[in-house]
Amino acid sequence: MLQEPHKAEFALDSIEGLSEAEAAKRLAEDGYNELPSAARRTIFTIALGVLREPMFLLLVACGTIYFVLREVQEGFMLLSFVFVIMAITFYQERKTERALEALKNMSSPRALVIRESSEKRIAGREVVRGDIIVLAEGDRVPADGVVLWHSSLSTDESLLTGESLSVTKSVWDGRAEMGRPGGDGIPFVYSGTMVARGQGVAEVKATGARSEIGKIGKALQSVKPGEMLLQKETGRLVRNFALVGLILCVLVIVTYGFTRADWLNGFLAGLTLAMAILPEEFPVVLTIFLALGAWHLSQKRVLTRHMPAIETLGSATVLCVDKTGTLTMNQMSVSELFAKGEWHDVHYRREEPLPENFHEIVEFSILASQRDPFDPMEKAFKQFGVYCLAHTEHLHDDWTLVHEYPISAKLLAISRVWKSPAGDEFVIAAKGAPEVIGDLCHFSAPETEELSSHVARMADRGLRVLGVAKAFFREEELPGAQHDFQFQFLGLVGLADPVRPEVPASIRECYDASIRVVMVTGDYPGTARNIARQAGLEPADEVITGYELEKIDRAELERHVRTTNIFARVMPEQKLGLVEAFKANREIVVMTGDGVNDAPALKSAHIGIAMGGRGTDVAREAASLVLLDDDFSSIVKAVKMGRRIFDNLKKAMAYILAIHVPIAGLSLIPVVFKWPLVLFPVHIVFMELIIDPACSVVFEAEPEEKNIMRRPPRNTKEPLLGRRTVGLSILQGLSVLAVATLVFYIAWTFGRGEGEARALAFATLVVANLGLIFTNRSWSRTFFDTLRTPNKAALWSSGGAMAFLALVLYVPFLQKLFLFEAPRFTDLLICLAAGASSITWFEAIKVINSWRGKAITRESARS
């Protein structure tokens, strides 16, 4: 096999490559260099799945009832909700399925291959096993392969390993089997990675699903996201209400038919009661809340791909964080310098001019790098040099590069030979591993030991350390190896991937909200531990590596994840295993990430959050949320939004339950006591126009409670409507029912007429409904306290409801439609006051609870 020759010794012309016939044969045998497409669901399949859900079936059933009753407009209005929700669901389903398509596109870039002794650029999907591929700086590697030759080749493998630094390559010895990515000096390149520096030639060993990126694709394809918690709870509520409604509907029809011998009106009364009880508002309210929540999050630069995830985020107990690009800037920078026996901390002294003693080390670190660098470390050198050496003699844009000695597996250093326009000697700049630079400078044992201590000091701070040296050469012919120069040691440069400024405060807020933060990274343990300490991750002492994870079983892993907060050198499938272990411990898991390697874990977690700036298409498509500006603090905002949405959704559901009690009662009581029917389907439709969606918007617009981020996450075992919530809601509804029933009975028995009594009872119900809205805006603050918090939606819905009420009471056409007679003005005022007073007892409970809370606080202060 080819050894690692000097650049001039290697000729591409000497490589024949595959013949077109052989390439076609292997393409037929192995298939295209792409991942197999998942079976795409058709629009009919998705629509059928949507319609099978009980909540949507109930919507359709209610719309059908309207058509049977010849309420065509109301029927179309209700059924329109079905199509809106179906369209949203279809859009979300299609977005989710694009994860594999994005992975497939990434794994099949354009490729430059050698076939039949000539270079040829082909579609990446047509690369086959045995192809010779030519790699250059900035290229994406089309398939997994072994390196036959290279010149300073290094690749960015962060998509597969999570490491922010590019890794160097060596030449394949002809015997080593393809291994996993990660670490310097390995002779393998991997599909989907980027050539960060240099150039090379490789032989393809694995394509498509057999490549490392293909294995991730298989894992992603096999992960099935579970049903959202809120969907399950809402589904249970809908089924329970539907069952109660069905039973009562049958009882009313039978009772009315036998007691009054009028089966037609009995059937009408039963349908009215069923419509009053059937919770068709619940799925619509849920959709409205999540859709508006997604819109609000988009204003905070958070894109929602799967709307129910917003609420689940508020229940999060564990946040699994990828270090690179999430906690850190994913942008290397010079952090510390050591030269001439002195130290300079760049981070804390950035505003000060760079001392003269450190000019030379910065100058030669730039000379040892590409003029227009692609590698993150070399970019850091250039940016720092331009910043601190501008207008000095240490920047040499007019110098000419004469030769480069590339980095190799045997010598982890690179030297670049320059010639100045006026100089008569070569200037050589070298940079590389500190021990290698020390060897090039012919350090003695004491000097090497002293160098190691300096390197250890910088490494303990989580820095990537490089040594820098210089040499001069006067002979015309350059030597064949870097060791032939007389290098002079200049010092050490420490580089860091800095923590995002907002991260420590965001992590503290997570802790205040009882959310555990766990770092899962492909980087080294020392670096991970240092970054964790900078970010405020606690505790940051215990670290488990991917190598250690391979040795433990599932049960032991589940025990470890209860206490360990840092996982380093973790492989993609291990990230997925960690998420599954947290889930096995009944944690609600949030996973953040930006690389291909994160996609399976993002999809498996309850909530996957992808970085939108540097994040890959694969990660974005697999995630539920995408941070458009990669701002870690946006996660905390999303958590707060999720908690607010659940609080307000709970208030809205409690309100809906409360208002259904008087509506159902006014439909049932006349049947039991043989009164005239109070409510008909048209009245139910009117009430639903207030309840859904207008009033649900009121609760959605309600701001969060002050302590929302200082309470523990919601217990997922806690139902959406717990016993206390249901009890208070039913009491609210019963009080409204008592008042409305009393109004109807008094008006009817005092000779006001059936139509006028119905109008007065309905007016009472509408006003009491508005009272329920305002009292349920907060279960801790009183009605007057909530008025201090602006809620334009509440004002608009109240004004609209009262305007419509006036129309149906006094416009002749609407009076006839609603079977009303115009009520007297004095009677109407009495009814309005009665409706408003029906919920005063709940306001009194708030005041009493507030007094008790203040008394307990004062007592605690005294003690």
Side-chain angles (χ1 to χ4, degrees):
M1 298 303 298
L2 291 168
Q3 299 301 312
E4 188 168 46
H6 191 271
K7 182 176 179 180
E9 298 173 1
F10 189 86
L12 295 181
D13 295 341
S14 64
I15 300 178
E16 294 184 4
L18 297 177
S19 66
E20 292 293 346
E22 180 62 24
K25 178 183 176 183
R26 295 189 182 189
L27 185 63
E29 292 175 353
D30 299 340
Y32 284 106
N33 179 33
E34 59 188 13
L35 298 184
S37 299
R40 179 176 296 184
R41 299 175 65 193
T42 66
I43 186 173
F44 301 106
T45 305
I46 295 174
L48 183 61
V50 171
L51 291 176
R52 284 176 178 171
E53 291 292 328
M55 61 180 68
F56 297 111
L57 288 174
L58 288 171
L59 282 174
V60 175
C62 291
T64 304
I65 291 173
Y66 284 123
F67 283 117
V68 171
L69 296 174
R70 297 185 179 180
E71 301 290 346
V72 178
Q73 293 181 346
E74 290 82 356
F76 275 121
M77 177 192 67
L78 194 57
L79 288 178
S80 66
F81 287 123
V82 178
F83 294 106
V84 170
I85 295 171
M86 189 184 298
I88 293 172
T89 305
F90 175 75
Y91 175 74
Q92 296 297 331
E93 289 274 353
R94 290 294 300 121
K95 288 281 286 183
T96 301
E97 289 182 355
R98 289 177 186 169
L100 282 176
E101 295 177 15
L103 186 59
K104 170 179 160 183
N105 292 336
M106 177 171 286
S107 64
S108 184
R110 301 290 293 178
L112 182 63
V113 301
I114 301 176
R115 287 184 182 172
E116 298 180 343
S117 301
S118 62
E119 295 184 16
K120 181 180 182 181
R121 192 166 293 277
I122 62 174
R125 68 193 300 265
E126 297 175 2
V127 171
V128 299
R129 176 176 40 86
D131 258 329
I132 304 299
I133 53 177
V134 180
L135 304 173
E137 192 169 296
D139 286 349
R140 194 172 291 280
V141 180
D144 289 7
V146 294
V147 178
L148 303 181
W149 169 87
H150 76 87
S151 174
S152 303
L153 181 66
S154 61
T155 60
D156 178 358
E157 297 179 353
S158 60
L159 298 181
L160 294 173
T161 65
E163 294 183 34
S164 57
L165 300 174
S166 58
V167 293
T168 59
K169 296 299 173 183
S170 63
V171 170
W172 185 47
D173 62 7
R175 297 184 301 274
E177 296 291 330
M178 282 291 298
R180 291 182 173 182
D184 286 310
I186 63 174
F188 312 121
V189 290
Y190 301 93
S191 176
T193 62
M194 184 77 73
V195 178
R197 190 175 186 280
Q199 54 188 321
V201 177
E203 179 183 344
V204 173
K205 292 295 183 180
T207 61
R210 290 169 293 277
S211 64
E212 286 296 316
I213 199 173
K215 294 172 186 175
I216 295 174
K218 287 181 179 178
L220 178 61
Q221 195 172 15
S222 64
V223 176
K224 303 296 182 184
E227 186 181 15
M228 289 294 171
L229 300 174
L230 192 56
Q231 289 174 321
K232 293 179 181 179
E233 293 182 29
T234 307
R236 283 196 299 268
L237 284 172
V238 170
R239 286 190 293 271
N240 292 339
F241 273 86
L243 180 60
V244 173
L246 178 62
I247 294 172
L248 290 179
C249 175
V250 173
L251 289 176
V252 166
I253 293 174
V254 173
T255 302
Y256 198 102
F258 279 110
T259 58
R260 305 192 188 189
D262 187 350
W263 290 95
L264 182 60
N265 281 325
F267 185 71
L268 179 62
L271 288 178
T272 303
L273 179 61
M275 293 170 60
I277 295 178
L278 289 177
E280 65 269 19
E281 301 93 353
F282 280 175
V284 178
V285 166
L286 176 60
T287 301
I288 290 173
F289 263 68
L290 296 180
L292 291 178
W295 183 81
H296 288 312
L297 276 178
S298 70
Q299 306 304 300
K300 301 179 184 298
R301 304 290 294 162
V302 179
L303 174 65
T304 305
R305 295 193 57 260
H306 195 43
M307 286 192 293
I310 300 172
E311 180 275 331
T312 310
L313 186 61
S315 304
T317 58
V318 173
L319 176 58
C320 295
V321 183
D322 181 39
K323 177 186 73 67
T324 304
T326 305
L327 293 179
T328 66
M329 301 288 290
N330 194 32
Q331 185 177 357
M332 299 299 294
S333 63
V334 176
S335 178
E336 191 169 13
L337 299 173
F338 173 76
K340 300 180 180 179
E342 297 182 9
W343 295 90
H344 181 76
D345 194 319
V346 175
H347 178 73
Y348 291 104
R349 301 172 63 183
R350 185 169 292 276
E351 301 302 323
E352 302 177 12
L354 184 68
E356 184 67 32
N357 283 348
F358 298 96
H359 284 196
E360 193 173 34
I361 187 175
V362 177
E363 172 188 2
F364 277 84
S365 69
I366 296 173
L367 289 174
S369 305
Q370 295 282 345
R371 193 184 295 275
D372 186 16
F374 187 83
D375 181 84
M377 288 188 295
E378 295 189 348
K379 281 184 178 180
F381 290 141
K382 183 171 183 179
Q383 291 170 357
F384 182 67
V386 170
Y387 174 77
C388 65
L389 297 182
H391 310 297
T392 71
E393 72 279 6
H394 297 288
L395 297 180
H396 309 290
D397 293 334
D398 58 340
W399 283 22
T400 304
L401 178 65
V402 177
H403 188 71
E404 178 182 293
Y405 294 88
I407 196 169
S408 67
K410 297 179 181 179
L411 189 65
L412 296 177
I414 183 173
S415 295
R416 308 189 89 213
V417 182
W418 297 87
K419 195 72 177 287
S420 67
D424 57 353
E425 62 181 357
F426 296 108
V427 179
I428 302 94
K431 74 174 190 300
E435 64 275 11
V436 175
I437 296 297
D439 182 53
L440 288 177
C441 297
H442 306 291
F443 272 15
S444 63
E447 289 175 323
T448 301
E449 185 176 349
E450 183 181 3
L451 176 64
S452 298
S453 66
H454 296 327
V455 172
R457 167 180 169 175
M458 300 175 82
D460 286 342
R461 293 184 53 197
L463 302 181
R464 176 71 180 265
V465 186
L466 292 179
V468 181
K470 70 175 182 179
F472 300 96
F473 195 75
R474 290 185 173 274
E475 299 180 20
E476 294 184 4
E477 187 175 346
L478 293 171
Q482 299 181 64
H483 272 290
D484 295 329
F485 294 108
Q486 296 296 318
F487 280 106
Q488 176 185 346
F489 184 74
L490 294 179
L492 301 172
V493 180
L495 298 107
D497 184 5
V499 171
R500 291 177 177 272
E502 69 278 1
V503 164
S506 297
I507 289 182
R508 282 196 301 273
E509 194 164 2
C510 286
Y511 289 155
D512 289 340
S514 300
I515 299 174
R516 184 178 162 202
V517 182
V518 175
M519 181 192 294
V520 183
T521 179
D523 218 329
Y524 293 95
T527 304
R529 187 184 290 110
N530 185 270
I531 293 296
R533 289 169 179 164
Q534 293 182 47
L537 199 65
E538 297 176 353
D541 297 325
E542 184 179 356
V543 181
I544 294 181
T545 65
Y547 177 74
E548 293 168 332
L549 290 178
E550 289 181 348
K551 298 181 178 180
I552 62 177
D553 58 21
R554 179 63 179 267
E556 191 175 354
L557 176 59
E558 291 173 10
R559 288 195 299 271
H560 278 297
V561 298
R562 294 171 187 163
T563 56
T564 304
N565 289 333
I566 303 175
F567 296 87
R569 302 300 289 169
V570 175
M571 297 299 293
E573 60 271 22
Q574 292 174 328
K575 289 187 177 184
L576 177 60
L578 286 171
V579 172
E580 297 294 343
F582 280 116
K583 291 168 68 175
N585 287 334
R586 299 188 177 182
E587 304 280 5
I588 302 301
V589 185
V590 178
M591 172 70 185
T592 68
D594 57 9
V596 174
N597 61 312
D598 298 320
L602 288 173
K603 193 173 181 182
S604 176
H606 293 97
I607 303 295
I609 304 180
M611 302 295 119
R614 187 179 182 273
T616 61
D617 289 340
V618 180
R620 287 192 290 267
E621 294 295 337
S624 301
L625 301 176
V626 178
L627 304 185
L628 297 179
D629 53 6
D630 291 7
D631 187 350
F632 183 79
S633 64
S634 297
I635 298 176
V636 181
K637 296 175 184 176
V639 170
K640 183 184 295 184
M641 181 71 70
R643 292 189 174 191
R644 183 184 74 83
I645 287 174
F646 179 78
D647 273 5
N648 292 343
L649 181 60
K650 193 172 182 178
K651 295 173 186 176
M653 294 294 191
Y655 154 72
I656 291 172
L657 176 59
I659 192 58
H660 267 275
V661 171
I663 294 174
L666 289 175
S667 301
L668 180 62
I669 289 175
V671 177
V672 175
F673 292 100
K674 298 184 179 181
W675 295 351
L677 295 179
V678 178
L679 298 181
F680 289 90
V682 67
H683 303 121
I684 309 297
V685 172
F686 182 93
M687 292 302 299
E688 286 175 353
L689 289 175
I690 301 175
I691 299 168
D692 171 36
C695 292
S696 60
V697 175
V698 172
F699 291 104
E700 196 285 328
E702 195 65 23
E704 66 271 5
E705 303 285 350
K706 292 182 180 179
N707 67 337
I708 197 167
M709 288 299 286
R710 293 192 175 274
R711 37 167 128 138
R714 170 204 166 207
N715 186 350
T716 54
K717 295 182 180 179
E718 173 192 345
L720 185 62
L721 294 177
R723 291 183 179 179
R724 178 175 179 271
T725 303
V726 170
L728 287 174
S729 296
I730 291 176
L731 284 176
Q732 289 180 359
L734 288 175
S735 66
V736 172
L737 173 61
V739 171
T741 302
L742 186 62
V743 167
F744 177 81
Y745 179 75
I746 293 174
W748 181 50
T749 55
F750 277 79
R752 288 292 189 262
E754 181 181 316
E756 188 174 354
R758 181 180 295 114
L760 291 172
F762 187 75
T764 303
L765 180 61
V766 171
V767 173
N769 174 42
L770 298 180
L772 286 173
I773 292 173
F774 279 95
T775 197
N776 281 290
R777 283 184 62 190
S778 174
W779 280 25
S780 58
R781 295 179 296 151
T782 65
F783 168 80
F784 298 102
D785 289 334
T786 58
L787 290 180
R788 298 171 187 168
T789 306
N791 190 326
K792 294 182 180 179
L795 299 178
W796 278 103
S797 62
S798 301
M802 294 305 294
F804 278 115
L805 177 62
L807 291 175
V808 300
L809 290 178
Y810 294 105
V811 174
F813 168 75
L814 294 176
Q815 282 181 357
K816 183 178 178 180
L817 181 64
F818 280 75
L819 303 177
F820 287 162
E821 293 177 14
R824 302 174 189 180
F825 186 69
T826 53
D827 291 345
L828 183 61
L829 289 180
I830 294 173
C831 293
L832 297 180
S837 65
S838 64
I839 45 85
T840 52
W841 65 270
F842 191 63
E843 291 297 309
I845 289 178
K846 293 181 187 179
V847 174
I848 294 172
N849 287 338
S850 176
W851 289 345
R852 287 179 178 175
K854 291 179 181 178
I856 292 173
T857 302
R858 287 195 297 268
E859 187 66 27
S860 299
R862 291 194 192 103
S863 60

